[in-house]
Structure formats: structure tokens, C-alpha cells
Amino acid sequence: AVSSRPVLRRLPLVFLALLTLASPASAQQTGGVDVVEVAGVIDDAKVDYVLGVLDRAATEAVQVVIVRLDSPGAVTERTAELETAFATSAVPIVVWVGDAPARALGAAARLVEAAHLRTAAPGTTIGHGNHQLIGDDAVGSSMFDGPPVTVEPATPSLDRVEASLGQVVVWLDGRTVETPAGAVTLRTAEEITDEDGSIRLQQTVDVRFVEPNLWVRLLDLTLGPGTLFFFLAIGLTIVAFEFYAVGPGVAAAVALIPLVLAGYGLGRLPVTWYGAGLLAVAIGLFVVDYQRGGFRPRSWIATGMLLAGGALLVDGAPTLGVPWGSVVATTVAVALFFAVAMPVVARSRFSTGTFGRDHLIGRRGTAVGAFEDGVGLVDLDGAQWKASAHRQAGIDAGDDIVVAAVQGLWLEIERTPEGPST
């Protein structure tokens, strides 16, 4: 028979384990940590997203909510709702500005102030807390008023400076946070002894990263001066291409996507009329030069105007600066499209035999105006066509011409030779 003594000897250990699991301290350790990503400009959609996370945390086993913050400010006054939600939350709210070089400016700095615990990574910046909205004048006051301050290991306005989110989670262990529901003691780590005898803290809680849904992320794409300029410039360029492509409307449908996205940014960001005007005039000059047959001086002027329009499109000072990298890249892309891509695509489109322009060869007509630099308009049976000719031809308004060849969108013409009309 098998002895029952080993089983009896284990009974005290079993009871001890049950008592440990039932202890209050162990119950606190079962709660996890929710990390909320708040990056970019804060709008209504982002406010609703954060409020939803806080509501869910209040009903689930969540010990603490960490807001990972990197924002130049807000375009909505509803950030005051977030400040109130932070201050009145029964679940401790910790704001961590990171990773470097993250920033918390304007309304984002006020969110740092409203949290139960304020933390940041060294090298990040916090400031302009008296600017509630991007581009607006300073109103109210905050503990982070004035120009941005670079966070250093000893920053008085912060409870802790940690370089990584994992270090923040470990540091929270044993912290007692006063909330409207009472004091909450956090259990996020435990001491372990390494082989060399040194003692360190090791994270013991599950960390869940909560990210915004696809809709919030899609809207966030337009809430920046660089991306707004990109969507506007590319959308208008595709519209111009559709006008000359004479296609089934595919380009127009494609242009609708960036223009709709740009519309959201135009309605939220502090857009200047002169920046938008420079952008529109620049696209117009590109179109004029393209219609006249090439990348001419007007196109170079348009390139400069487009660059200036991108830099002046959004007046977000002092919290939202000009992203020169994206502005320059967009300007170069649009200029190259009008200089190279538009002529190539149009030439391949209109050089096909199905378009039926070969019958124009040999047709006689009249020059509508003087040909400048060998480019002008001609009238063939009451219809005007773009045409090019050798500069030596010296064609003036009213001169008789004959079509010598068809090259894409353009007719190559010559002076009418002596003889009967074709």
C-alpha cells in the first residue's frame, strides 16, 4: 500500500498558498497596465478615443493607465474634458512624454499637469501650456507656461524622469496614488536576486498597448502642415492631369481621395489664405506652361511659389513648426510630374492610332496669334489646336499654315507652301 504521509505533509503548504492568493496585496498584483498612445495633433476623434479607453479601464481589472504622449498641441477645446477625466479618474493616470525627442506642447502640456503622476524621458520637451489651441494666442496659465523646457534627470515639475516605458512601469511599484475613490497602491514589479547577488526590480504585470482605430489614424494623417500640403498639392495635380488625359475618369476618382483627406485638415488646422493662394496659383502656372509646350520660366516661378505656399500654409506658431523636409519633397515631386510625367503620359495617350488625329496631317489653317518661342495656337476649320513650329518660321497672327505632323497633344506646322489646299 502507498503511504499517505507525503500527502499529509503537503497540506500545510496548500493552505499557505490559498491564503497567499486570497491576500489583498496579491489581488492588486492581478491588475494589468494599459498604455494609451496619443501622438500628433489632438482633435475630437482622438479625445473620444482616450475617453473610451479610460471608461473601459474603470470597468476592467486595470491598475493604472499610462498615457504615452507626443503631441504639438490640440485643435479642439475638448482637451478640457480630458483634463477633467484625468483628475477625476478612479484608476490612476500616469502621463509619460516619450520616447525622446517627443514633445508635449500647448494642450498636451496641460494633460501632463492634469495626470496623477507626471513622467517624461530625458531629451523630450514640454512647454507653451498657456496655448490651448494650435495657432491661437496664449490664454490661461499652466505650470508649463513659456518656451519649451528640455527634460533633464532632475526636472522639478515632474515626478520621475525615465528613458523607457518599461522603466516607468517598474518605478510605479509601491507608489501610492491619491484618487477620488481613495488611495491606490500599485504593484507592478518584484525584487529578484541575480546570480552575482545583486538585487533588482522585475516587471510582474501585463502591459497592454491600446492603439486608436483605423479611422482615428486616417484622420490623424491630415493633421500636420506637411501632410496637408502633400494631399492638397497632389490632389490638384491629379485633377490637372485628368483634364489633359481625356480618360474615363480614373484619375479624377483617385484625386478625390487626397482632396477629401485634405478637406478634414483644412477644417481643423489654422490654414492661411495666402498659403493656400500661393499653392493654387503655382498649380495654375504649371498648367499654363505645360499647355504652352514645356517647363518654362513660369514653371520655375511656380516651383518657388509652391515651396513658399507649403511653408506658409499653416500658421501653427509657436507649437507647430514647418516640416521643411516634407514640404521640399512634395514641391520637387509636383515639379517633376509637370516637367516629365505629364508630357510622357499624354504623348503615349494621344499618339495611339485610335484617337484619329492622323487625318489632320496636310490640313491647312490659320495662326491664331504670333508664335512665341515656336509655340502657339492654330485654327483648323473653326477649331483651335496647340501647335509648334521652328523658330525660323516666323509665324505671325493670320499667317496660313499647314500641319506637317502630329506629336501627342501637339501639331507640328509649317508655313503654307505655294499650291492648292489639301
Side-chain angles (χ1 to χ4, degrees), residues 123-197:
T124 57
T125 52
I126 306 175
H128 293 308
N130 51 344
H131 290 266
Q132 186 172 4
L133 297 178
I134 291 176
D136 279 6
D137 296 332
V139 293
S141 61
S142 167
M143 66 186 302
F144 297 107
D145 286 350
V149 175
T150 301
V151 174
E152 298 178 350
T155 302
S157 55
L158 298 175
D159 297 301
R160 187 71 173 182
V161 176
E162 292 287 1
S164 69
L165 187 61
Q167 292 174 324
V168 173
V169 173
V170 172
W171 169 76
L172 290 175
D173 183 64
R175 304 288 155 194
T176 299
V177 181
E178 293 292 337
T179 70
V184 178
T185 301
L186 304 176
R187 299 296 182 209
T188 60
E190 65 179 1
E191 289 186 352
I192 62 172
T193 304
D194 292 330
E195 295 180 355
D196 59 359

Side-chain angles (χ1 to χ4, degrees), residues 134-407:
I134 291 176
D136 279 6
D137 296 332
V139 293
S141 61
S142 167
M143 66 186 302
F144 297 107
D145 286 350
V149 175
T150 301
V151 174
E152 298 178 350
T155 302
S157 55
L158 298 175
D159 297 301
R160 187 71 173 182
V161 176
E162 292 287 1
S164 69
L165 187 61
Q167 292 174 324
V168 173
V169 173
V170 172
W171 169 76
L172 290 175
D173 183 64
R175 304 288 155 194
T176 299
V177 181
E178 293 292 337
T179 70
V184 178
T185 301
L186 304 176
R187 299 296 182 209
T188 60
E190 65 179 1
E191 289 186 352
I192 62 172
T193 304
D194 292 330
E195 295 180 355
D196 59 359
S198 59
I199 299 176
R200 62 184 178 87
L201 287 175
Q202 178 175 286
Q203 176 182 316
T204 57
V205 293
D206 293 329
V207 177
R208 179 174 59 180
F209 289 86
V210 185
E211 296 183 351
N213 58 38
L214 181 61
W215 176 246
V216 176
R217 282 179 283 178
L218 184 63
L219 295 180
D220 187 53
L221 288 176
T222 67
L223 295 178
T227 52
L228 175 60
F229 174 62
F230 170 80
F231 286 131
L232 270 179
I234 295 301
L236 293 176
T237 299
I238 298 176
V239 169
F241 171 74
E242 171 67 17
F243 180 78
Y244 287 100
V246 193
V250 176
V254 173
L256 187 63
I257 298 174
L259 289 179
V260 168
L261 290 174
Y264 183 81
L266 288 172
R268 300 300 187 276
L269 292 173
V271 176
T272 64
W273 64 266
Y274 44 86
L278 284 171
L279 191 155
V281 172
I283 298 297
L285 290 178
F286 278 127
V287 172
V288 170
D289 255 12
Y290 171 74
Q291 185 164 343
R292 295 183 66 85
F295 202 84
R296 299 174 181 276
R298 270 182 295 265
S299 295
W300 290 107
I301 296 174
T303 302
M305 293 180 66
L306 190 63
L307 184 64
L312 300 173
L313 183 61
V314 176
D315 183 13
T319 63
L320 195 61
V322 178
W324 283 106
S326 59
V327 170
V328 172
T330 301
T331 301
V332 172
V334 171
L336 288 177
F337 185 84
F338 278 99
V340 180
M342 280 272 282
V344 170
V345 174
R347 189 176 299 117
S348 64
R349 171 73 178 167
F350 290 107
S351 62
T352 59
T354 57
F355 197 77
R357 281 191 171 187
D358 290 343
H359 70 280
L360 296 177
I361 298 176
R363 183 76 59 86
R364 294 191 180 192
T366 305
V368 175
F371 274 52
E372 299 178 4
D373 298 328
V375 176
L377 295 175
V378 297
D379 184 281
L380 300 179
D381 297 330
Q384 291 188 356
W385 302 82
K386 293 181 292 184
S388 62
H390 294 293
R391 295 184 181 182
Q392 293 80 1
I395 297 176
D396 293 321
D399 288 352
D400 293 331
I401 57 90
V402 62
V403 179
V406 178
Q407 293 292 336

Side-chain angles (χ1 to χ4, degrees), residues 39-121:
V41 175
I42 302 173
D43 62 342
D44 289 333
K46 206 163 291 182
V47 170
D48 291 333
Y49 146 68
V50 177
L51 291 176
V53 173
L54 297 182
D55 290 340
R56 187 176 66 181
T59 59
E60 297 181 355
V62 176
Q63 278 197 74
V64 60
V65 174
I66 300 178
V67 178
R68 184 174 182 174
L69 188 60
D70 180 8
S71 172
V75 290
T76 175
E77 295 182 353
R78 291 187 59 203
T79 50
E81 296 180 31
L82 287 181
E83 295 178 39
T84 302
F86 284 11
T88 59
S89 174
V91 178
I93 306 296
V94 179
V95 170
W96 179 65
V97 183
D99 300 307
R103 74 278 197 217
L105 306 177
R110 302 168 76 100
L111 294 181
V112 177
E113 182 180 358
H116 295 121
L117 292 174
R118 312 178 191 105
T119 63

